[in-house]
Amino acid sequence: MGADIHESKLGFFPGSTIGNFTPGEAQDFLQNARTTLGPASHMLIGVDTKKSPKKLHRAYNDKHGVTAKFNLNILERINREMDTDLDPKKFEHYACYNALQGRVEMHLVSLESQSVNIQGVGVEFGTGESIHTESSYKYAPEEFKCLAQRAGWQIKK
């Protein structure tokens, strides 16, 4: 016997991964989840909320350097997968809260002027020039509620 098309299903999207999408991408994701799960479905989702810029700065520039190691690992991966000669020691991690965009932005900042080879193409980095590696959007509860509603969801709790 097949499943009832109106059967209630639960979608689960843990952590705060939704914040790695732009708000438009997040809405598209939620709309797709709504369509996939069906009209009687529910969604349990983790969302990182807006906090003071000072608190966010401490979280993304932690004193043990865990986030920095994670971010700098991108250069190691690019070296492995794209035949490059990026030197991770010539970059440093920098994260800041962009209050206008409602997101934390992670960057890798060049510590010196340098020329790197990426698949046979020379790329120049000036001192202080950054590679924007990630954005993590934060939402006030009312903001996320509106986003979810535009995607067809009703907030229960």
Side-chain angles (χ1 to χ4, degrees):
M1 209 186 272
D4 182 352
I5 194 165
H6 299 290
E7 184 178 298
S8 181
K9 296 177 184 166
L10 174 65
F12 180 52
F13 201 57
S16 57
T17 304
I18 193 82
N20 295 122
F21 297 136
T22 66
E25 292 168 337
Q27 184 175 327
D28 288 347
F29 171 82
L30 292 170
Q31 284 173 329
N32 287 334
R34 187 79 178 130
T35 299
T36 301
L37 294 170
S41 62
H42 300 275
M43 183 79 160
L44 178 60
I45 188 165
V47 179
D48 199 5
T49 57
K50 289 184 175 176
K51 306 165 185 57
S52 77
K54 187 175 183 179
K55 192 174 207 174
L56 289 167
H57 182 81
R58 280 195 317 266
Y60 284 82
N61 295 284
D62 59 284
K63 64 182 177 181
H64 298 295
V66 173
T67 307
K69 288 176 190 167
F70 173 81
N71 198 17
L72 285 160
N73 185 59
I74 292 169
L75 299 178
E76 297 289 347
R77 187 166 175 198
I78 291 170
N79 281 339
R80 254 190 339 267
E81 295 179 18
M82 296 184 66
D83 188 31
T84 68
D85 61 358
L86 288 159
D87 183 352
K89 292 182 178 103
K90 293 183 179 180
F91 289 86
E92 71 180 354
H93 163 78
Y94 177 73
C96 60
Y97 181 61
N98 181 330
L100 291 175
Q101 296 291 322
R103 68 186 186 201
V104 171
E105 297 175 356
M106 292 200 334
H107 296 261
L108 293 173
V109 180
S110 180
L111 297 172
E112 59 187 64
S113 292
Q114 56 181 305
S115 179
V116 298
N117 176 25
I118 300 177
Q119 295 185 327
V121 177
V123 178
E124 301 292 323
F125 288 96
T127 303
E129 188 172 359
S130 77
I131 303 167
H132 183 166
T133 57
E134 180 181 337
S135 291
S136 182
Y137 286 83
K138 311 301 177 192
Y139 294 94
E142 191 61 32
E143 288 174 317
F144 193 78
K145 179 180 178 180
C146 289
L147 179 78
Q149 287 173 330
R150 285 193 306 271
W153 292 96
Q154 292 181 5
I155 305 302
K156 301 276 185 182
K157 192 172 183 181

